[in-house]
Amino acid sequence: MHPFIQTLKLIASPTKFLDECAVKYGDIFTVRVLGINSPPVVFFSNPEAIAECFAIPANKLNFKKATHVFKPLFGANSIVLKEGKEHNRQRNLLMPPFHGDRMKSYGETICEITTEVTKDWQAGKVISMQHVMPDITLQIILQVVFGISPGERYQQLKKLLSVLLDDITTPWYSSLFFFPPLQQDFGRFSPWGNYLRRKQQIDNLVYAEIGERRKANDISRTDILSLLLSAQDENGEKMTDEELKDQLISLLLLGYETTAGVLSWLFYLIYSQPQVRNNLIQELETLGENSNPTQITQLPYLSAVCQETMRLHPIALICTPRMTKETVEIAGNKFMSGTVLVPCIYLAHRRSETYPEPDNFIPERFLNHKFSPVEYLPFGGGYRGCIGSAFSMYEMKLVLANILSQFQLELIDNQPVKPVRRGITIVPSGGVQMRVQTKIPAKNLVHS
Ligand code: HEM
């Protein structure tokens, strides 16, 4: 198949494209999908091959060349495009706020934001989970990254980010990212010109926040922007405004639509299987009122439901693509320098050898068995694995538990949904429309 057609197929219906390739070619296959004159791109779904891929030392791989499609979105200074020492440094800087006690300190905030966003849900109200969930997760990530609550700048950011993500979801708009020759600014009515102007509006809002924070110089704050503002490299240099802006936008984009997408899948899957929902409610009732966030997030069935949701419908289909700088061997195959290697999360999660009945939603499989990090990898793995994995698991469990214990809901339409692309994530088609049946009075899961 011509590289252009392969790329369009991957953009327009990625899961179908991957399923077809796996049926035709098995668990290691090569396609050409990174634009015109693209290098060979090899997808792996076999756990041993994925393990070998993760084990290749970073100095034998080039990440920038394989992730160039993200540059216009995240910016050249984003952690996603960094390599070697600098990448390591950024990870070490950004990881702590998303783990351990720092992460747990957000438990009550997560529950408060969820309660606030859902406060006007009354019996009969119709809700689109695809709209409400990003509202919750964006507020949460803004608290973590900027330490700010909703205000005018927040509202503007939310609107601009959401519209931009809607647009880059269309096959035509996304093609612009894959084919650099189409990236021509012919004024605001041209597609790329329009993209650049809207991205600039987002950048300006972030620059304004950075400017204010530099001026205020408040050393008591613990959010990520404050951390980055005081960080220095080994030569004592601080980050420029542009570096800060790229890092912050990357965290915003990677940190809210992803968790919101999983939450939409969770509501769809839980409410299309009444037994799963009943089991969850029963488990939540064992906690009683005023439990703490840690108790909630440790519930085994709730954890299994979240894990199985991300197995069946991983929000990111692939790990970060990596280009070889020299010949490497994986699963007995030699790959020449210049080959792009892609551990494929989606196909690894659909292997019947690992997961019997792979197309069915069976949370119990996570109660009875522990899968290895190369069999189950919704957050990728190795030295490029997601830095927000623990945080988003913590967050999604609290948001879900909070809503389940406050409302009885129903799906408006019982038709099966399809996985569709939204920006860089794969979400349920149709937005998951639900109706509030009852509001359960004065139930407060978390003690504040
Ligand atoms: C359910 C939610 C999420 C999912 C499914 C998810 C998934 C992923 C995946 C698959 C990768 C690529 C990993 C690899 O190449 O091996 C990744 C990378 C990344 N994620 Fe997440 N993510 C989620 C939430 C978050 C959150 C909340 C943040 C924090 C703001 C975040 C920040 C990042 C960053 C910075 C990277 C790049 C890491 C690097 O290149 O070193 N993600 N994520």
Side-chain angles (χ1 to χ4, degrees):
M1 200 186 300
H2 190 278
F4 183 71
I5 307 286
Q6 291 198 2
T7 310
L8 286 187
K9 273 191 108 173
L10 180 69
I11 293 170
S13 45
T15 49
K16 193 163 167 249
F17 176 76
L18 291 171
D19 282 332
E20 285 172 6
C21 289
V23 169
K24 266 196 210 156
Y25 311 115
D27 54 16
I28 301 183
F29 56 85
T30 304
V31 292
R32 288 182 185 266
V33 286
L34 284 178
I36 292 164
N37 299 328
S38 68
V41 181
V42 189
F43 285 76
F44 301 92
S45 54
N46 158 323
E48 292 76 39
I50 293 179
E52 286 180 40
C53 201
F54 283 160
I56 301 173
N59 61 5
K60 291 191 180 180
L61 297 170
N62 185 329
F63 283 87
K64 251 187 219 161
K65 276 201 174 162
T67 49
H68 68 91
V69 286
F70 297 131
K71 196 167 148 197
L73 193 60
F74 294 139
N77 306 292
S78 161
I79 178 171
V80 177
L81 288 125
K82 292 277 179 210
E83 307 209 61
K85 259 196 191 159
E86 184 50 26
H87 173 249
N88 233 338
R89 205 177 76 82
Q90 295 292 351
R91 274 182 79 89
N92 291 339
L93 197 63
L94 295 172
M95 288 276 246
F98 293 107
H99 290 83
D101 289 345
R102 290 279 297 283
M103 170 185 90
K104 289 187 185 149
S105 71
Y106 290 106
E108 280 171 18
T109 309
I110 294 171
C111 295
E112 278 162 20
I113 290 174
T114 311
T115 306
E116 176 60 28
V117 171
T118 57
K119 71 172 188 292
D120 64 342
W121 290 14
Q122 297 298 340
K125 186 175 171 76
V126 172
I127 305 140
S128 158
M129 289 302 173
Q130 190 183 306
H131 287 125
V132 177
M133 292 305 127
D135 207 4
I136 296 177
T137 57
L138 182 58
Q139 288 196 38
I140 294 169
I141 199 74
L142 283 170
Q143 280 286 347
V144 183
V145 173
F146 293 117
I148 56 170
S149 309
E152 201 186 320
R153 190 170 295 148
Y154 160 82
Q155 295 298 349
Q156 284 175 294
L157 249 177
K158 184 179 154 223
K159 195 162 165 231
L160 288 167
L161 285 171
S162 174
V163 177
L164 189 80
L165 285 170
D166 278 341
D167 284 348
I168 60 171
T169 300
T170 61
W172 160 237
Y173 223 105
S174 345
S175 310
L176 298 174
F177 290 83
F178 280 87
F179 301 109
L182 297 178
Q183 295 172 6
Q184 305 290 342
D185 182 3
F186 296 121
R188 71 193 164 102
F189 294 113
S190 65
W192 193 248
N194 176 279
Y195 168 76
L196 291 179
R197 280 159 188 76
R198 285 184 318 146
K199 175 71 169 49
Q200 188 62 49
Q201 286 178 305
I202 295 173
D203 289 357
N204 290 346
L205 289 171
V206 176
Y207 279 136
E209 186 69 28
I210 295 172
E212 274 176 25
R213 297 288 287 279
R214 274 205 202 277
K215 243 196 220 149
N217 195 21
D218 180 352
I219 48 165
S220 65
R221 300 184 69 137
T222 54
D223 52 69
I224 291 180
L225 173 53
S226 309
L227 223 135
L228 296 179
L229 279 169
S230 57
Q232 298 179 354
D233 66 15
E234 61 258 41
N235 305 319
E237 297 283 332
K238 292 204 168 181
M239 289 168 93
T240 64
D241 281 7
E242 193 184 350
E243 284 169 330
L244 281 169
K245 180 264 297 171
D246 287 353
Q247 225 56 278
L248 296 170
I249 288 186
S250 303
L251 292 177
L252 286 185
L253 285 170
L254 291 164
Y256 94 100
E257 278 280 332
T258 43
T259 315
V262 179
L263 278 160
S264 290
W265 279 118
L266 274 163
F267 280 100
Y268 166 70
L269 290 166
I270 292 169
Y271 282 87
S272 42
Q273 297 202 20
Q275 191 51 48
V276 173
R277 195 204 50 168
N278 293 344
N279 291 348
L280 269 177
I281 303 278
Q282 270 174 20
E283 188 181 59
L284 285 170
E285 277 169 359
T286 61
L287 284 178
E289 282 192 31
N290 296 336
S291 24
N292 67 48
T294 306
Q295 285 172 299
I296 299 170
T297 56
Q298 284 173 349
L299 291 171
Y301 193 71
L302 175 64
S303 303
V305 168
C306 294
Q307 286 171 303
E308 175 67 347
T309 298
M310 288 192 288
R311 179 202 65 83
L312 190 59
H313 294 296
I315 281 297
L317 300 179
I318 57 169
C319 295
T320 316
R322 51 212 71 201
M323 185 182 271
T324 56
K325 285 188 192 165
E326 54 188 81
T327 302
V328 298
E329 193 174 319
I330 298 175
N333 303 293
K334 281 202 162 61
F335 298 103
M336 310 273 285
S337 156
T339 307
V340 176
L341 309 175
V342 183
C344 184
I345 301 170
Y346 173 74
L347 291 177
H349 286 186
R350 297 276 172 145
R351 283 168 59 86
S352 52
E353 298 89 329
T354 319
Y355 301 101
E357 300 179 58
D359 297 335
N360 293 342
F361 180 63
I362 311 175
E364 287 71 17
R365 64 172 107 235
F366 281 92
L367 292 176
N368 309 328
H369 186 80
K370 198 168 164 19
F371 296 95
S372 80
V374 282
E375 290 172 328
Y376 181 68
L377 60 161
F379 297 102
Y383 46 78
R384 298 298 299 205
C386 178
I387 63 164
S389 56
F391 183 83
S392 46
M393 284 296 282
Y394 186 76
E395 175 185 359
M396 74 181 74
K397 288 180 196 173
L398 289 180
V399 172
L400 183 65
N402 197 292
I403 294 180
L404 285 179
S405 59
Q406 287 194 70
F407 301 96
Q408 278 167 355
L409 305 168
E410 62 180 343
L411 283 171
I412 288 196
D413 189 349
N414 269 326
Q415 295 302 312
V417 305
K418 284 196 318 239
V420 291
R421 199 169 57 79
R422 178 173 156 77
I424 48 169
T425 59
I426 302 291
V427 298
S429 59
V432 188
Q433 310 291 325
M434 302 196 76
R435 186 181 294 110
V436 180
Q437 287 180 314
T438 336
K439 180 162 182 167
I440 303 162
K443 181 100 184 179
N444 185 14
L445 251 192
V446 176
H447 180 64
S448 45

